[in-house]
Amino acid sequence: MDELLEQFLIEGRELTEQANDDLLALERDPTSSSNIDSAFRAVHTLKGSTALFDFAPMTEALHAAEDLLGSLRAKQLLADRTIVSVLLECIAASERWIDCIERTERLPVGAAAQASALRQALLAPLKREDQQTSTPPPDLEWLAPLLAREGQSMAAARGAGRTITALRYVPNSDCFFRGDDPVALVRSVPELLAFRVTPREPWMKEGYDPFACNVVIEALSAASPDDLRRIFRLVPDQVVVIEVGNRIGQFAPNGDVSLMDKSLESGLRTLRVEASRIDTLVDVAGELIVAQNTLAHLAAKARQSDPALAHAMAANHADFERLVANMRSAVMRLRTVPLSTTFRRFPRLVREIADKLGKDVEFVVSGQDVEADKSIVDGLFEPLLHVVRNALDHGIESSAARRSAGKPTTGKVMLQASREAEQIVVTVTDDGAGIDLSAIRKAAEARGLMPEPVLNALQDSAATDLIFAPGISTATQVTDISGRGVGMDAVRTAVELLGGRVDIVSGIGSGTTIRMTLPQTVFVTAVMTVRVGQELYGVPLDVVAETARIPIDRINAIRSGEAFVLRDRTIPLVRLSSILDISTPERSGADVKVLVVSYGNQRVALEVDAFVDRAEVLMRPMAGLLSGMPGVLGTALLGDGRVLIILDVSELIG
Amino acid sequence: MSVRVEADIAYLAGECRVEDAEPLLGFLQSGSSRVVDLTQATHLHTAVLQLLLAFRPHVVGPASDTFVQRWLIPQMTDT
């Protein structure tokens, strides 16, 4: 793909996100001029970039959006819900177009018709307004040439991160009679960066009137707009004061001076790097860990033949280990992004869905600053969307139902994130009706998941867990929003693919919380290595609840299986050798070694021949022909060059 | 009086006010190759400044006043 187009896709997404955020904020506070300005700049810049390509319909639609935002900016219109909605629609369409451009490098069929409909909708409020008032928008044509001309004068102030304020002062021609001296006013402007006086009408030497003021004054200052307004408070009708941010003066490709998005400017200094380059670095850092493990292995070997050398190697290894750990965390941070990149897409979606359902919902987002690996943050979107949809559709009741249940008529859905040790926890909580367990039991029975007596004997938490079984839906009617058979099992699968797990807590009448626990990084997997027969296997540590030795006489045969009681809990026992089809001698010792693993809400013990080690390994997913191999998560290279197979425990038992 | 004329040269001194514009106009219109000395001027009223911009006499500086020197004289020498 063309580099310019790639850049457009990246920036386009950033700009639509920015516009989205601003518009949603504007809906909460229709008078917020900073949000209007920011949305205007985003749309303006996006429009400018589309013009570089053959995306004319998109340019047109955005142009209309820019016009509409322009009149909000000029305070000719108030940003009411209708106006914000149509602007949001335009941004949503732009997002879809950008997605399509990424796939096909062109706009979708029908974009032109869509754009012209959008255009009409966007311009409709302007027409309505035309008939009412006739205040011209403030003319800002002068600003671009001024900024272009004075780029150098602004450099130092920009470098110091100062705001720059532009001023245009067109004194009335009779101002001298009123005692005004425009130059004296400019003289009192602090931190003047540029000052230029030009004639308003061409100079006439013949019949020159010394008492008619004929100048236009343009100036830049590092003082704040408010300071300038204070100075010119007696001539407010003759001045335009505008804050131009601190990195103005960059030329957009169309020769326009772009009013750079302040949120991009004032943030951290960033460097955009292609993801594949970072992945290369991640790979190298991963290999380094393997190399470090090799060193540990060698040191252990040397201990027998040359203890002094082994000692030196061990000391060296410690240094090496520390440096590798530092490098690892630095590399991991490279791929880390805040959850806000996914979370910020939700407020608008929630608004759309709630509107469609005719429900009144307050949506609260928190913890969007929590960071995780980009693949996890991106991968969370689909499952989260599903869960949020469910909360809105099935969770939150209609206003009438809520009123009769004695709840506030406005439902509440919360999307929260937090860090817990090495993991992130993302929860979606609604204060809706909760999950109807009898409906779940019925659905499970209808699907033949379990016989009725078993279902009825299930504890409530286990029954709630059934919602994750394939094909279970409690939706009484299929709506446009959800309930189309893509159930919570898809959510569980998606989250597990990311290395996480999903839990659910629900109370009838009080609502439902879906809790997703995910690793922060996908880089290194901590595994427990165990021996079965002569072979080594890895079990991800995050599923290992504990290791234990169980006396043989405490193991009871239950039908075809075995189980034992551990701290008042019956835990089924599975021999790893029989699942993996490895022949091992009969049990000989007084006890067996087991790995107690959590599997959904349950615990299962895996019998192994020996616990070998705990190690951090770089896990590679199975590729090619092996990718379909059941029960295997991936492989890792051990320090001594052997390949460790990492088991997918839930797949093996389930 | 802050405008003092000696032959072809007008010396502007101190704070030049709006009422200085008319005599200065007379001076500038009374012949070509007029010279205006700003070394002693501490402020130019807009009426005076725009007159100098319109007639573009030869300007003598530098002005002792920093604002006049830094911001006003360059206006007149700008092309």
Side-chain angles (χ1 to χ4, degrees):
Chain A
M1 189 182 286
D2 177 20
E3 210 171 283
L4 200 59
L5 188 59
E6 266 176 34
Q7 196 64 18
F8 165 75
L9 293 171
I10 295 169
E11 281 179 2
R13 288 209 171 90
E14 283 173 4
L15 292 166
T16 52
E17 274 171 12
Q18 182 64 49
N20 234 328
D21 289 354
D22 288 325
L23 290 171
L24 289 167
L26 196 56
E27 190 166 38
R28 288 190 292 275
D29 175 13
T31 58
S32 159
S33 53
S34 64
N35 287 115
I36 296 176
D37 286 350
S38 172
F40 179 86
R41 283 195 295 267
V43 168
H44 171 81
T45 313
L46 184 61
K47 182 202 74 176
S49 342
T50 58
L52 293 175
F53 306 93
D54 186 20
F55 303 145
M58 189 168 176
T59 316
E60 273 169 34
L62 287 165
H63 193 125
E66 187 187 350
D67 286 351
L68 183 52
L69 279 162
S71 58
L72 295 182
R73 228 179 164 193
K75 305 207 189 317
Q76 295 160 338
L77 282 174
L78 185 68
D80 60 19
R81 202 176 157 88
T82 328
I83 287 181
V84 172
S85 291
V86 65
L87 285 167
L88 281 170
E89 256 172 60
C90 178
I91 299 302
S94 303
E95 280 173 357
R96 286 195 299 274
W97 289 335
I98 289 173
D99 287 344
C100 179
I101 290 167
E102 180 167 30
R103 290 191 307 270
T104 64
E105 302 197 10
R106 67 190 66 205
L107 287 173
V109 183
Q114 222 182 334
S116 97
L118 272 172
R119 211 178 134 74
Q120 272 188 348
L122 287 162
L123 296 178
L126 291 173
K127 293 203 179 96
R128 201 172 59 200
E129 177 268 330
D130 273 350
Q131 293 151 5
Q132 288 162 3
T133 71
S134 58
T135 334
D139 174 15
L140 291 179
E141 305 251 303
W142 54 274
L143 189 56
L146 171 67
L147 296 177
R149 197 171 58 227
E150 302 294 350
Q152 265 190 324
S153 347
M154 296 190 294
R158 270 195 322 234
R162 306 288 305 269
T163 22
I164 291 176
T165 308
L167 166 83
R168 182 174 162 93
Y169 179 14
V170 185
N172 289 343
S173 56
D174 60 353
C175 72
F176 298 158
F177 292 103
R178 286 188 243 151
D180 291 353
D181 178 2
V183 171
L185 279 178
V186 174
R187 196 172 178 140
S188 57
V189 169
E191 301 183 78
L192 201 58
L193 300 173
F195 173 38
R196 190 173 164 98
V197 182
T198 47
R200 191 168 51 187
E201 303 290 337
W203 300 118
M204 302 278 284
K205 287 191 192 181
E206 294 299 314
Y208 183 91
D209 179 357
F211 301 113
C213 184
N214 183 36
V215 295
V216 175
I217 291 171
E218 289 168 359
L220 294 173
S221 155
S224 74
D226 284 344
D227 286 347
L228 263 65
R229 281 190 200 103
R230 213 167 297 126
I231 292 166
F232 294 91
R233 68 190 179 281
L234 296 177
V235 288
D237 53 323
Q238 299 163 38
V239 294
V240 181
V241 172
I242 184 164
E243 187 181 341
V244 290
N246 63 12
R247 246 182 65 178
I248 300 302
Q250 294 200 345
F251 285 95
N254 54 2
D256 214 14
V257 173
S258 71
L259 303 177
M260 290 296 291
D261 185 340
K262 256 188 291 172
S263 70
L264 290 176
E265 296 321 304
S266 56
L268 301 163
R269 285 173 59 92
T270 55
L271 173 67
R272 201 173 267 148
V273 179
E274 221 176 291
S276 66
R277 294 191 191 180
I278 291 186
D279 288 341
T280 311
L281 196 58
V282 169
D283 280 350
V284 173
E287 302 295 344
L288 205 54
I289 292 178
V290 174
Q292 168 213 304
N293 287 345
T294 316
L295 195 59
H297 191 75
L298 283 177
K301 259 190 160 172
R303 204 167 299 139
Q304 287 130 31
S305 53
D306 188 345
L309 176 64
H311 189 74
M313 277 176 83
N316 236 317
H317 178 242
D319 280 347
F320 197 19
E321 199 170 19
R322 182 176 52 81
L323 292 173
V324 167
N326 285 350
M327 173 162 180
R328 202 188 80 189
S329 61
V331 165
M332 283 194 290
R333 233 172 288 132
L334 284 181
R335 280 191 51 93
T336 305
V337 294
L339 281 169
S340 59
T341 54
T342 285
F343 278 18
R344 68 194 306 177
R345 298 168 71 180
F346 279 93
R348 194 191 77 221
L349 290 166
V350 167
R351 184 181 179 278
E352 275 175 18
I353 296 168
D355 272 2
K356 234 183 230 175
L357 293 166
K359 288 181 180 172
D360 201 5
V361 178
E362 182 195 355
F363 184 61
V364 182
V365 179
S366 68
Q368 60 267 49
D369 296 337
V370 172
E371 295 189 329
D373 188 89
K374 189 170 189 318
S375 62
I376 288 172
V377 173
D378 291 348
L380 258 178
F381 178 71
E382 288 292 330
L384 268 183
L385 179 60
H386 194 88
V387 168
V388 168
R389 269 183 186 152
N390 272 345
L392 292 167
D393 199 3
H394 310 315
I396 302 292
E397 317 89 325
S398 67
S399 299
R402 291 181 67 91
R403 205 175 299 119
S404 59
K407 292 180 174 184
T409 50
T410 302
K412 190 169 183 182
V413 175
M414 289 184 288
L415 173 58
Q416 293 165 304
S418 59
R419 262 193 75 168
E420 278 181 19
E422 293 290 289
Q423 300 189 303
I424 58 166
V425 176
V426 178
T427 56
V428 176
T429 307
D430 67 68
D431 69 344
I435 291 172
D436 182 352
L437 289 177
S438 63
I440 293 267
R441 288 194 164 98
K442 249 180 243 158
E445 195 193 333
R447 299 273 311 172
L449 278 180
M450 292 178 199
E452 202 190 340
V454 180
L455 276 171
N456 290 337
L458 276 183
Q459 284 184 354
D460 281 357
S461 65
T464 312
D465 220 38
L466 282 176
I467 198 164
F468 293 113
I472 296 287
S473 172
T474 57
T476 43
Q477 70 194 87
V478 171
T479 63
D480 187 29
I481 309 295
S482 54
R484 277 178 295 194
V486 187
M488 292 293 289
D489 62 314
V491 171
R492 173 166 275 184
T493 310
V495 172
E496 285 179 353
L497 274 178
L498 297 172
R501 58 196 156 81
V502 191
D503 303 298
I504 184 165
V505 181
S506 182
I508 281 284
S510 61
T512 305
T513 297
I514 305 272
R515 185 182 145 101
M516 305 180 181
T517 312
L518 296 133
Q520 249 191 317
T521 58
V522 288
F523 180 35
V524 172
T525 316
V527 295
M528 177 80 143
T529 46
V530 295
R531 190 169 54 76
V532 181
Q534 294 306 311
E535 296 178 37
L536 281 186
Y537 290 95
V539 177
L541 260 185
D542 53 4
V543 302
V544 178
E546 63 181 296
T547 56
R549 285 166 185 269
I550 307 294
I552 294 240
D553 53 23
R554 274 177 47 200
I555 298 172
N556 306 309
I558 297 176
R559 266 179 278 170
S560 60
E562 290 175 313
F564 57 88
V565 175
L566 184 68
R567 290 191 292 277
D568 296 335
R569 216 170 143 178
T570 305
I571 298 180
L573 174 66
V574 175
R575 292 193 200 191
L576 204 48
S577 56
S578 61
I579 305 183
L580 297 172
D581 220 356
I582 297 167
S583 59
T584 50
E586 280 302 300
R587 286 172 184 150
S588 52
D591 51 20
V592 298
K593 297 180 183 100
V594 298
L595 217 53
V596 181
V597 297
S598 16
Y599 162 52
N601 254 355
Q602 307 161 37
R603 300 221 147 158
V604 175
L606 297 176
E607 182 181 338
V608 299
D609 290 342
F611 306 123
V612 179
D613 202 353
R614 249 200 69 151
E616 288 193 322
V617 294
L618 176 74
M619 188 177 76
R620 298 174 187 282
M622 304 298 277
L625 277 177
L626 294 175
S627 60
M629 204 161 141
V632 176
L633 271 182
T635 59
L637 206 58
L638 288 177
D640 58 4
R642 277 185 294 170
V643 172
L644 182 72
I645 289 179
I646 297 166
L647 300 174
D648 184 347
V649 172
S650 61
E651 210 171 282
L652 277 178
I653 332 179
Chain B
M1 185 67 177
S2 51
V3 181
R4 181 169 54 88
V5 177
E6 280 178 18
D8 287 350
I9 305 177
Y11 294 90
L12 303 194
E15 194 170 320
C16 298
R17 288 181 239 271
V18 63
E19 53 268 29
D20 295 324
E22 212 171 3
L24 187 61
L25 174 64
F27 164 74
L28 292 171
Q29 282 176 330
S30 63
S32 55
S33 67
R34 294 292 170 176
V35 176
V36 175
D37 184 316
L38 293 178
T39 50
Q40 297 305 310
T42 55
H43 179 69
L44 301 184
H45 188 279
T46 314
V48 174
L49 175 69
Q50 69 173 18
L51 196 53
L52 297 175
L53 291 177
F55 285 84
R56 297 273 172 160
H58 180 72
V59 170
V60 176
S64 55
D65 180 86
T66 47
F67 184 82
V68 173
Q69 176 63 26
R70 168 77 179 82
W71 296 111
L72 299 187
I73 291 181
Q75 310 279 348
M76 303 164 210
T77 50
D78 245 22
T79 46

